[in-house]
Amino acid sequence: MYNSETVKRTLRSIAGIIAENSAFLSELDAAMGDGDLGIHMYRGFEKSCDLVENLDESPGKLLNRAGACFIEEAPSTLGTLMGLFIRAMGLELGDKANFSFEDFLNMAKRGYNEIIKRGKAAPGDKTILDSLHPAIEAMQEAFSQGAPPKQCIALGYEASKDGLAYSTGLKAIHGRPAYFAEKTIGMQDGGATVGMLLMEGLNEVAAIEGCDIE
Amino acid sequence: MKKFINAAKDYVPEYLEGIILAHGDRLALAEDNGRALVRRNPVPGKVAIVTGGGSGHLPLFLGYVGDGLADACAVGNVFASPSYISMVSAAKAVESGAGVLYLFGNYGGDRMNFDMAAEELNSEGVETCQVWCTDDVASAPKEKSENRRGVAGIVFVYKAAGAAAARMLPLAEVVRIAKKANAHTRSMGVSMSACTLPEIGKPSFTIDEGEMEVGMGIHGEPGVTRGKIMPADEVAEILVSNITKDMEYPSGSRVAVLINLLGGTCLEEGYIVYRKIHSLLLALGIEPVGVRVGEYSTSMEMAGVSLSMMLLDDELESLLFDAASTPFVVFEQNRG
């Protein structure tokens, strides 16, 4: 079972990976947007990590607070969607003090559906959904076949990379990239990259020896 | 990057601080939110007009908070939507029972956040409607005009809706008028240089020396064509022809005209462009009314100019000529 410490550790791991990739994300965004994606993602994860680090709350409440903080600190389109994603995961968990990997999959699905509801996009639109969707599917499938969580997450991470690669060949139809239309084919999407980096952070936590994820 | 700033991350809070220090007799920040700017003298029982958008466009958006225009504004980071939380705070600080009109430009982030904010207000019993502006003809073809971005033409929509609210009309009427003003408004722009986001420090795109881009958006969104810099008269022709082929202007039409400068172009140049626009409009049997030339919707230091035209009928013309004023813009009674 996982708890508040798992949530804090995972958020911190993702924040670290986003920080490392911040300039790269801004470069991707500059090619078909206004070039501030890295700044927003970095600020959102840093601030929400800092906030929850010293809070003594249930894991659901921590995610709730982190999501609300993210929306305030990084209110770009993707920043808002990321905040809503994190918050929805917390809402799914409610007051539980501990949660299972199955709970985690349900949280991820709830968060994913929130992005669809608010962003009004679908997989195949060259957005963050294109890396998150295959990742969640792969984790769910592996879990259904009895694979341990660590392996499910590793497979999810691989699937997110494949999804990202696939989305690079697609044409953007949402947000500022949509104004570049055909020109976006072959360009790597910043949002899909963020989705992959989330899985990278999760995988990093899961892969640490002695970590309680398994 | 050459900017008069301190730390780049303090760009937004520090310019807001300066605005409140300079204009604190008329403007304030909401008590619960440093990103919600409100007028100090809200009118009880009036429909509250609340706007919002990214920073980097002053006087848009917060510069239109004042008498006879908007009542509050949610302020985002540079070129980014404000959070829906600050949109809710802005509305709550000024609404007084007659409902709220959220009025803003058609951009993905703004649409999503205003949608959530309106949902929250409505669920709490504050009647809230949304109107988003779609005046930029270069941003999507006529068949997809609902996808067009909002640019400087929003000024006319603020003016019409603001005057309607100041006349104490009910929310449904203010919404109808805002939609009509938007439907009657078209804009088109030309840019000659890029702009730099303070926190990035270098331009996110470039326009070569000697080149200009027709139809570029106010965040550097790609335009229709890029080519050699043309004389001002030819630029005027492009602006007028693109707008007049997009909408029917019967001979004898009266139109409100706004020449907007994008931040890096001087006022003299704006009048050189207007000089030709004026004669082109007269030749088409269109009479320019309440002409304004200046910075109304900028893109930081981007060099460029845009033309916005609102086709007037009796109702819109009457609303346009009501007095209105903010620390940034003044409309005189009967003169616009």
Side-chain angles (χ1 to χ4, degrees), chain A residues 138-162:
Chain A
M139 287 191 290
Q140 178 65 59
E141 195 188 328
F143 181 71
S144 307
Q145 289 169 7
K150 190 162 149 179
Q151 195 185 336
C152 295
I153 290 171
L155 288 167
Y157 174 41
E158 288 308 313
S160 74
K161 288 196 274 188
D162 294 345

Side-chain angles (χ1 to χ4, degrees), chain A:
Chain A
M1 293 295 267
Y2 314 114
N3 55 31
S4 293
E5 286 310 307
T6 327
V7 167
K8 290 180 187 177
R9 197 159 55 231
T10 308
L11 276 175
R12 184 49 76 188
S13 165
I14 292 170
I17 284 168
I18 292 290
E20 281 167 30
N21 287 279
S22 164
F24 174 58
L25 289 173
S26 286
E27 267 172 48
L28 291 178
D29 188 39
M32 41 180 169
D34 52 16
D36 59 0
L37 177 63
I39 292 169
H40 282 118
M41 286 299 119
Y42 172 72
R43 184 182 293 146
F45 276 107
E46 278 301 307
K47 296 274 183 180
S48 46
C49 272
D50 290 349
L51 173 76
V52 301
E53 214 134 56
N54 299 312
L55 291 180
D56 187 19
E57 307 256 23
S58 69
K61 188 79 188 240
L62 285 185
L63 288 165
N64 238 322
R65 297 280 298 268
C69 173
F70 206 112
I71 292 169
E72 271 297 270
E73 294 293 338
S76 62
T77 305
L78 194 62
T80 303
L81 290 171
M82 185 57 61
L84 292 169
F85 175 75
I86 296 169
R87 199 178 68 155
M89 290 180 84
L91 291 174
E92 177 66 25
L93 204 47
D95 290 335
K96 288 183 187 173
N98 297 294
F99 61 103
S100 66
F101 190 71
E102 190 170 10
D103 289 330
F104 165 72
L105 287 175
N106 289 331
M107 289 154 66
K109 284 177 211 162
R110 170 95 170 247
Y112 172 85
N113 287 331
E114 184 74 7
I115 295 181
I116 291 192
K117 180 183 166 199
R118 290 298 172 185
K120 301 187 167 61
D125 291 352
K126 198 176 181 106
T127 69
I128 187 171
L129 300 175
D130 290 315
S131 51
L132 283 186
H133 183 256
I136 295 172
E137 293 271 291
M139 287 191 290
Q140 178 65 59
E141 195 188 328
F143 181 71
S144 307
Q145 289 169 7
K150 190 162 149 179
Q151 195 185 336
C152 295
I153 290 171
L155 288 167
Y157 174 41
E158 288 308 313
S160 74
K161 288 196 274 188
D162 294 345
L164 170 62
Y166 172 72
S167 73
T168 298
L170 299 172
K171 183 174 86 172
I173 58 174
H174 291 283
R176 277 177 210 150
Y179 302 134
F180 293 81
E182 311 294 334
K183 286 185 200 155
T184 61
I185 295 173
M187 292 167 91
Q188 183 172 334
D189 182 63
T193 306
V194 170
M196 181 275 286
L197 294 174
L198 295 186
M199 289 307 299
E200 189 176 327
L202 184 60
N203 188 52
E204 198 175 84
V205 171
I208 293 170
E209 203 67 32
C211 162
D212 63 352
I213 280 233
E214 204 162 273

Side-chain angles (χ1 to χ4, degrees), chain B residues 179-265:
Chain B
K179 285 183 175 167
K180 177 163 119 177
N182 179 55
H184 280 233
T185 300
R186 299 287 186 279
S187 298
M188 173 86 190
V190 174
S191 299
M192 292 205 278
S193 73
C195 57
T196 299
L197 277 71
E199 285 194 72
I200 292 177
K202 58 180 188 209
S204 48
F205 62 97
T206 51
I207 301 177
D208 290 341
E209 188 64 34
E211 290 208 316
M212 58 169 43
E213 183 154 330
V214 176
M216 173 174 274
I218 57 170
H219 311 93
E221 296 94 337
V224 187
T225 54
R226 187 179 281 207
K228 275 210 168 95
I229 288 180
M230 289 173 277
D233 285 3
E234 286 176 39
V235 171
E237 277 170 25
I238 286 176
L239 299 179
V240 169
S241 69
N242 275 281
I243 288 179
T244 53
K245 78 182 177 208
D246 194 78
M247 187 169 170
E248 201 72 30
Y249 293 88
S251 186
S253 298
R254 290 163 67 80
V255 297
V257 173
L258 174 70
I259 307 297
N260 175 54
L261 306 172
L262 284 161
T265 294

Side-chain angles (χ1 to χ4, degrees), chain B residues 1 3-11 14-15 198:
Chain B
M1 175 170 69
K3 286 185 193 286
F4 294 102
I5 57 173
N6 298 304
K9 68 173 177 48
D10 297 328
Y11 188 83
E14 288 190 353
Y15 90 72

Side-chain angles (χ1 to χ4, degrees), chain B residues 159 163 167 292 317-325 330-336:
Chain B
K159 185 66 196 70
R167 289 179 185 182
R292 310 180 76 85
E317 185 160 345
S318 148
L319 292 162
L320 183 70
F321 287 156
D322 276 4
S325 77
V330 175
F331 288 83
E332 286 182 84
Q333 184 75 41
N334 300 325
R335 298 174 76 177

